[in-house]
Amino acid sequence: MSKIAIKEDIFWVGAKDPDRDVFDGLMPLPQGTTYNAYLVVGSEKTALIDTCEPEFLDQLLGNLEGVKKIDYIVSHHAEQDHSGSIPLMLERHPEATLLCLQKNKDMLQTLMTIPDDRIQVIEDGGEVSLGNKTIRFEHFPWVHWPETTITYIPEDKVLFPCDFLGSHYCWENIFAGDDPIVYKGAREYYVQIMMLYSMMTAKHLDRLKQFDIEFICPSHGSVYDKPQIILDLYEKWMRAAPENLALIAYVSAHGSTEIMANYLGEALEKRGVKAVLKNLIGLPLNELAGDLTDAATIVLGSSVIMAALHPLAVYTAFLLDRLKPKAKFAAVIGSYGWSPNPLKKAAELLPSWKVDVVGSVIAKGHPDAAALAELAALADTIAAKHREAGLMK
Ligand code: FEO
């Protein structure tokens, strides 16, 4: 690997991690990831933007071969996948000063040892000149940590949005173009990392409108050379109304709940609601994540096992409650052997997700005609709710 030119005197110098299979011990990474760092060479000063996980320092150093002097190391974010190599880089470059916002300084110094005299705190909105290039700093809190900072180089129209707008995708060609695989990964990344905070952070999209942007260089994944594509997608994911879509996520021990899920899906389709079924058994979180940006209704289906909802349903309910998709409606379906109570109490697993639980259908054993009639009625209710919400005619 060697450095890759983004624009004149702006280079990608980060690290590729194609084999990493999970992030935070939670998010599957089917396509690995990258820790993007960038080198900006001004007429007077040179800046390194972010670093990488310490175990990948060799890649970063290899990409910086021949760079004699680094005047500044810019830190956007204290999380170790970008900041972990800062102490080592400061050691190797005693001439370098770390540039960051105060909030980031506080967090960096709780996570690693960086002496005060190596740090220059920049104000929100502050600028640092490299000679013929300027780095502008802006605090963009909660995408996805409180200290998250973005930077922008006006002379080159290049935006560095940190984790915001990124993707876990270990590319061969750094530029995203309009490759659908990049945007699929970006959507899954959005759901798993950014969606929880979207009520607070959607306004950041308006703040980005102040910048004339030619390239977006996030901290993970591809560089966006057609920036409007990812900006439009974030507008849709963060702010657009949900679609006329019901996601039925279910787990079935002996097939009864699966029959119910299939029946409900067909009944919804007959009523004009698009239905997507996801069997939770063996389903990676990123595959569940995709439709969470769009669905107006989410139906959780579960068997009763161990006198409780199936653990996969409990896990999914927990994720829904934490990730808070913008779905307006929810429902519960499922089958039990001798105790319906876990299904009756399923909505209690969603204490903080503001969603309208519009119904439940609970069958004893194999769903009989009465249970199927209840599922048809639930489909009527969901279709009516979508119509009332203006999602279908
Ligand atoms: Fe990629 Fe929040 O670190």
Side-chain angles (χ1 to χ4, degrees):
M1 204 70 223
S2 57
K3 64 182 193 284
I4 298 170
I6 309 294
K7 283 204 78 170
E8 191 175 351
D9 294 328
I10 299 179
F11 305 93
W12 178 90
V13 291
K16 297 177 82 173
D17 189 358
D19 300 323
R20 185 163 181 172
D21 55 8
V22 69
F23 203 91
D24 288 347
L26 175 67
M27 298 166 224
L29 302 182
Q31 302 177 105
T33 193
T34 64
Y35 314 109
N36 294 339
Y38 301 92
L39 187 74
V40 183
V41 182
S43 56
E44 292 171 19
K45 306 275 189 188
T46 294
L48 173 66
I49 296 188
D50 287 323
T51 63
C52 63
E53 292 272 13
E55 65 186 287
F56 292 88
L57 180 64
D58 284 351
Q59 282 194 47
L60 176 63
L61 294 176
N63 291 333
L64 290 172
E65 222 171 87
V67 177
K68 292 193 174 52
K69 188 163 175 264
I70 292 176
D71 300 283
Y72 300 122
I73 298 175
V74 171
S75 174
H76 286 128
H77 176 31
E79 195 167 10
Q80 291 91 331
D81 50 332
H82 312 294
S83 65
S85 294
I86 287 175
L88 295 164
M89 290 302 294
L90 286 172
E91 254 178 54
R92 282 177 167 266
H93 288 274
E95 76 284 5
T97 299
L98 182 69
L99 306 179
C100 60
L101 300 193
Q102 181 67 49
K103 183 90 179 165
N104 192 14
K105 175 178 186 263
D106 297 343
M107 292 187 71
L108 284 166
Q109 290 184 316
T110 65
L111 295 172
M112 59 199 77
T113 303
I114 306 175
D116 277 344
D117 63 5
R118 299 298 304 275
I119 302 178
Q120 181 182 338
V121 171
I122 309 296
E123 295 291 315
D124 183 14
E127 294 183 345
V128 172
S129 173
L130 305 181
N132 62 344
K133 297 182 192 295
T134 311
I135 303 179
R136 181 180 171 88
F137 290 71
E138 296 235 355
H139 188 203
F140 266 48
W142 297 110
V143 285
H144 62 129
W145 277 21
E147 85 297 6
T148 307
T149 306
I150 68 152
T151 55
Y152 175 70
I153 299 182
E155 294 85 353
D156 295 288
K157 302 179 182 174
V158 176
L159 177 76
F160 301 92
C162 191
D163 282 331
F164 193 39
L165 311 175
S167 66
H168 284 308
Y169 178 50
C170 191
W171 37 262
E172 287 299 322
N173 172 6
I174 193 170
F175 295 108
D178 44 18
D179 185 349
I181 200 159
V182 172
Y183 301 100
K184 177 179 184 291
R187 180 162 81 150
E188 293 167 1
Y189 174 100
Y190 165 74
V191 169
Q192 295 173 93
I193 297 170
M194 301 290 165
M195 188 169 73
L196 163 61
Y197 304 110
S198 62
M199 291 289 281
M200 280 192 289
T201 56
K203 60 180 185 242
H204 291 333
L205 292 173
D206 293 328
R207 295 178 65 197
L208 288 180
K209 288 179 184 156
Q210 69 183 296
F211 302 121
D212 187 6
I213 301 171
E214 208 171 297
F215 289 92
I216 295 177
C217 299
S219 293
H220 296 286
S222 306
V223 166
Y224 300 104
D225 50 339
K226 296 183 176 179
Q228 204 56 46
I229 296 178
I230 190 69
L231 293 172
D232 288 347
L233 284 170
Y234 261 68
E235 185 67 37
K236 174 175 184 285
W237 299 333
M238 290 183 120
R239 293 206 275 213
E243 294 179 5
N244 178 28
L245 169 68
L247 171 65
I248 304 172
Y250 70 93
V251 52
S252 185
H254 293 291
S256 297
T257 300
E258 185 161 53
I259 290 169
M260 297 174 75
N262 286 331
Y263 189 89
L264 179 62
E266 286 170 21
L268 286 165
E269 292 274 350
K270 279 181 196 159
R271 287 157 179 78
V273 177
K274 185 177 176 204
V276 173
L277 275 74
K278 299 267 182 177
N279 185 339
L280 295 169
I281 297 173
L283 186 73
L285 174 56
N286 61 297
E287 292 296 330
L288 175 67
D291 291 304
L292 295 181
T293 53
D294 297 338
T297 295
I298 297 177
V299 179
L300 185 63
S302 179
S303 309
V304 174
I305 191 165
M306 297 181 281
L309 287 198
H310 191 289
L312 290 174
V314 174
Y315 174 66
T316 302
F318 174 82
L319 289 172
L320 292 171
D321 195 59
R322 298 318 309 153
L323 296 175
K324 299 178 177 49
K326 65 185 171 190
K328 293 172 178 292
F329 313 111
V332 176
I333 62 172
S335 165
Y336 67 97
W338 50 90
S339 173
N341 288 338
L343 285 161
K344 286 183 180 171
K345 293 180 180 172
E348 293 175 13
L349 299 173
L350 308 170
S352 63
W353 181 31
K354 290 185 175 31
V355 70
D356 182 6
V357 181
V358 298
S360 67
V361 178
I362 299 171
K364 184 172 172 61
H366 192 277
D368 59 12
L372 298 181
E374 281 188 55
L375 288 166
L378 178 59
D380 284 336
T381 300
I382 292 169
K385 292 285 182 186
H386 282 210
R387 202 170 288 113
E388 282 166 23
L391 304 175
M392 62 183 279
K393 288 182 184 160

